[in-house]
Amino acid sequence: MKRRTLIKGIATALPSLWLSRALGNNVFQEQFLNEPISKGPFNPTWESLQNYKTPEWYRNAKFGMWAHWGPQCQPEHGDWYGRGMYEEGSPHYVYHVKKYGHPSKFGFKDVIHDWKAENWNPEELVSLYKSAGAQYFMAMANHHDNLDLWDSKFHQWNSVKIGPQKDIIAGWSTAAKKYALPFGVSVHASHAWMWYEPAQLSDKNGEFAGVPYDGKLTKENGEGLWWQGLDPQELYAQNHELSKGWNWEWGKEMTTPSPDYCNKFYNRTIELIDKYNPDLVYFDDSQLPLWPISDVGLRIAAHLYNKSIRTHGELRAVINGKILDENQRKAMVWDIERGQANEIQPLPWQCDTCIGGWHYDRGVYERNEYKTAATVIQTLVDIVSKNGNLMLNIPVRGDGTIDEKEKKVVEDIGKWIKVNSESIYGTRPWKIFGEGPAQEAAAQLNAQGFNEGKGKPFSFEDIRFATKGDVLYATAMGWPENGKLVIKSLAKGSKHFPKEIQRVEWLSTKQSLSFERNENCLVVSLPEKSSDEFTYANVLKILS
């Protein structure tokens, strides 16, 4: 029976194969040669994926670092450059015309060609992040600009064939392995279909009015040029009608991607997983890539989970996705972009944020707008108290280096973590996450997240808790002027902590502190302040 079915299938495919060859396209490859899904307990359905359980390594890690790095870092003009440069009059457009020329003559494909990553040393950067306390490392595998940063057999617009002519993901992966860090990849390219749509347009004003940008160029236009033999349509994915409007969720106002586009995205992502065996895959998508117009995201998730079990004998893989409902959060780890949950979450979650812009921005450097180490540490402590992880991006310049201000922030983060890591790694939420005025004024989440920095600043009155075994950690987000730290949640007879407190220790120095506990609060006498270095996050170890 199976043989007859196979023969019938071949017979059905042959006409398509002949037509594909006759037309000179790759329909047959994408329709009939999809990369297989690994066999295992997970099937490509939400119901099956909800059997997922977040691995303990990830829950214990708490803190990861991310290199959100690609060709959009080359202009050093910030995030979404590859789209904004085609939006007439926008800051990216004005900058691009001045630096490179008009986008009808010098498009984003040419920015990619200009990107050489000439000073990139992945081992040096990963070593720095490891010394700062990162417990996992993630590298961007592609962005909405649709350039694959590995040697892809499914996509000719990749960093080995053009631009740096380097396998970026292989370099990051090797460095992460050397420093024993779980390795992750972030995948953003599902949105290239609509993200690049402005590349189809032209100026409405000025000397180039009506002259098309390079988003409509085809392979035939490249004869004699640096991109001869490459098809810009494969990069820009613009052989379709413009969408009626912008919406991050598929099926709302956007022109629906073709089956070939969806299948190619699937093949590229499966290849990425199979070649580099990531422990973590971050999707910059609502739910999963191309959902609900396609099931390719479900297929990729099932493949990753099954492959992880087959490789490790247990499920070690993690998938991050955004805007998840209650059931979808059982199938993967909910990611909040540039924001934090406002209460303890029943399932592990992640905040991804950045000390500057997502892609390197020279203006942020010049204006001294990077987040401080104090802000990062306070964010980490708050997230951990609510059952979350923090993944922090350090923007990388086009040449592959970070600037001296960024390096200082990373090193200062490492100084705090070195003496206070016990209160972070391997902890779990306590009965309550904390107390204090900051939470009372916390901003609500919006879409993917984006409530970061919109609430009341932390002060010494804001306390965050975490626990490990019988130990309770209480971190004060500031230093009281009188040196007396008041914790209301630990008052004598508190329902949260009915046991006697035997000892309170200053975690960074292991010094015992004097304390008084009454019916209103616990009052701890802090040690004499010797420097302002760590006064933004002061950790007490409380033993009963």
Side-chain angles (χ1 to χ4, degrees):
M1 185 64 184
K2 290 183 178 179
R3 183 180 180 187
R4 287 199 298 271
T5 302
L6 177 61
I7 292 172
K8 182 179 179 180
I10 293 173
T12 302
L14 281 174
S16 296
L17 174 59
W18 174 86
L19 181 62
S20 174
R21 288 175 174 171
L23 296 177
N25 59 36
N26 60 357
V27 172
F28 176 78
Q29 178 184 4
E30 294 184 1
Q31 187 172 355
F32 296 101
L33 296 182
N34 279 331
E35 297 291 277
I37 296 176
S38 291
K39 294 181 180 180
F42 288 96
N43 297 315
T45 66
W46 283 112
E47 291 74 18
S48 178
L49 295 177
Q50 285 171 28
N51 293 310
Y52 175 75
K53 183 178 180 181
T54 308
E56 288 298 293
W57 77 260
Y58 180 79
R59 296 198 67 190
N60 292 334
K62 303 301 182 187
F63 181 47
M65 282 193 171
W66 186 12
H68 189 281
W69 179 55
Q72 288 179 89
C73 296
Q74 180 64 17
E76 298 192 352
H77 203 252
D79 198 26
W80 279 33
Y81 185 92
R83 178 180 169 92
M85 59 166 280
Y86 293 109
E87 297 176 321
E88 183 181 8
S90 74
H92 286 322
Y93 172 93
V94 173
Y95 178 87
H96 184 85
V97 170
K98 182 178 180 180
K99 181 176 178 66
Y100 296 111
H102 193 263
S104 63
K105 298 181 177 181
F106 196 105
F108 193 73
K109 69 181 186 314
D110 303 290
V111 174
I112 293 172
H113 181 59
D114 192 49
W115 180 46
K116 303 304 179 187
E118 63 272 19
N119 296 316
W120 176 51
N121 185 333
E123 288 193 5
E124 180 179 301
L125 288 175
V126 174
S127 173
L128 174 66
Y129 302 152
K130 175 71 177 282
S131 68
Q135 299 294 289
Y136 54 100
F137 172 76
M138 177 177 287
M140 189 171 72
N142 52 38
H143 198 252
H144 313 317
D145 58 33
N146 213 24
L147 182 75
D148 284 349
L149 304 183
W150 73 92
D151 189 12
S152 175
K153 67 181 180 182
F154 292 104
H155 193 53
Q156 290 199 47
W157 290 87
N158 65 70
S159 64
V160 175
K161 190 174 182 65
I162 58 176
Q165 298 185 339
K166 300 173 183 177
D167 190 325
I168 303 297
I169 295 301
W172 287 127
S173 175
T174 299
K177 184 175 181 180
K178 177 176 179 179
Y179 291 101
L181 290 177
F183 178 61
V185 291
S186 68
V187 176
H188 312 243
S190 66
H191 290 285
W193 178 272
M194 62 174 177
W195 191 81
Y196 262 136
E197 285 186 351
Q200 293 189 50
L201 304 178
S202 60
D203 285 359
K204 295 180 179 179
N205 306 290
E207 63 174 308
F208 289 97
V211 179
Y213 304 145
D214 71 329
K216 288 191 173 181
L217 292 176
T218 64
K219 186 176 182 179
E220 289 71 25
N221 299 122
E223 186 173 352
L225 302 176
W226 73 260
W227 50 276
Q228 181 171 327
L230 293 170
D231 185 357
Q233 288 305 307
E234 186 184 3
L235 175 69
Y236 295 135
Q238 288 307 297
N239 189 20
H240 68 265
E241 294 181 6
L242 289 172
S243 299
K244 295 180 181 179
W246 172 270
N247 193 297
W248 200 245
E249 297 184 46
W250 294 104
K252 296 182 179 180
E253 300 181 309
M254 289 93 67
T255 302
T256 302
S258 67
D260 285 350
Y261 178 87
C262 296
N263 282 352
K264 183 175 180 179
F265 175 84
Y266 166 82
N267 284 330
R268 290 160 64 187
T269 309
I270 294 295
E271 177 192 42
L272 172 69
I273 291 169
D274 288 349
K275 287 188 73 169
Y276 304 101
N277 297 305
D279 299 290
L280 190 153
V281 177
Y282 167 106
F283 288 121
D284 191 8
D285 294 272
S286 302
Q287 297 85 52
L288 286 168
L290 298 164
W291 176 263
I293 60 172
S294 170
D295 71 344
V296 300
L298 293 171
R299 288 190 275 155
I300 292 167
H303 175 77
L304 178 64
Y305 290 165
N306 289 336
K307 184 176 186 297
S308 178
I309 293 170
R310 192 181 73 244
T311 302
H312 302 289
E314 62 179 356
L315 181 52
R316 283 183 50 85
V318 175
I319 293 176
N320 296 132
K322 302 176 181 179
I323 315 182
L324 308 181
D325 65 28
E326 185 176 342
N327 285 324
Q328 290 164 343
R329 292 179 198 179
K330 298 174 184 176
M332 55 204 293
V333 175
W334 178 34
D335 181 86
I336 300 176
E337 181 176 346
R338 286 194 183 272
Q340 293 120 265
N342 287 329
E343 56 189 13
I344 296 173
Q345 294 300 307
L347 294 172
W349 59 282
Q350 177 176 269
C351 162
D352 70 285
T353 191
C354 181
I355 66 168
W358 284 122
H359 286 101
Y360 191 88
D361 190 333
R362 173 58 53 171
V364 172
Y365 168 85
E366 293 173 347
R367 296 188 296 269
N368 291 314
E369 291 178 348
Y370 290 132
K371 285 186 177 73
T372 63
T375 297
V376 173
I377 292 300
Q378 289 179 338
T379 300
L380 173 64
V381 171
D382 182 65
I383 288 168
V384 168
S385 75
K386 298 169 183 173
N387 203 25
N389 284 25
L390 171 64
M391 185 173 68
L392 180 69
N393 174 48
I394 308 298
V396 180
R397 299 181 63 190
D399 71 352
T401 63
I402 64 173
D403 64 53
E404 79 283 358
K405 296 178 183 179
E406 294 176 300
K407 187 176 181 182
K408 177 68 164 52
V409 172
V410 174
E411 290 173 343
D412 287 348
I413 291 169
K415 291 176 183 177
W416 185 92
I417 288 182
K418 183 177 181 180
V419 294
N420 292 291
S421 62
E422 181 185 326
S423 67
I424 299 295
Y425 305 144
T427 61
R428 296 292 182 267
W430 192 45
K431 299 172 184 177
I432 57 173
F433 68 83
E435 65 180 57
Q439 191 59 38
E440 297 168 8
Q444 296 302 306
L445 295 175
N446 177 37
Q448 293 101 312
F450 304 120
N451 65 349
E452 179 181 83
K454 295 181 179 179
K456 190 175 182 179
F458 288 120
S459 74
F460 67 88
E461 294 179 288
D462 295 297
I463 312 294
R464 294 294 178 265
F465 299 110
T467 186
K468 188 187 299 179
D470 294 329
V471 177
L472 177 66
Y473 301 96
T475 303
M477 305 292 209
W479 191 284
E481 290 186 8
N482 63 1
K484 303 288 187 180
L485 190 63
V486 175
I487 306 177
K488 297 177 183 178
S489 303
L490 296 179
K492 190 173 184 180
S494 167
K495 64 179 181 179
H496 303 305
F497 202 98
K499 297 180 290 185
E500 291 293 323
I501 295 176
Q502 302 297 333
R503 175 181 166 89
V504 177
E505 184 179 286
W506 188 245
L507 184 61
S508 62
T509 63
K510 313 303 181 187
Q511 175 184 350
S512 289
L513 302 178
S514 61
F515 63 91
E516 177 186 346
R517 193 183 191 194
N518 57 45
E519 287 74 16
N520 298 313
C521 59
L522 171 71
V523 181
V524 180
S525 298
L526 301 183
E528 184 177 348
K529 186 166 57 172
S530 58
S531 76
D532 294 328
E533 193 169 16
F534 297 145
T535 56
Y536 49 79
N538 309 286
V539 187
L540 306 180
K541 182 176 181 179
I542 299 168
L543 303 166
S544 58

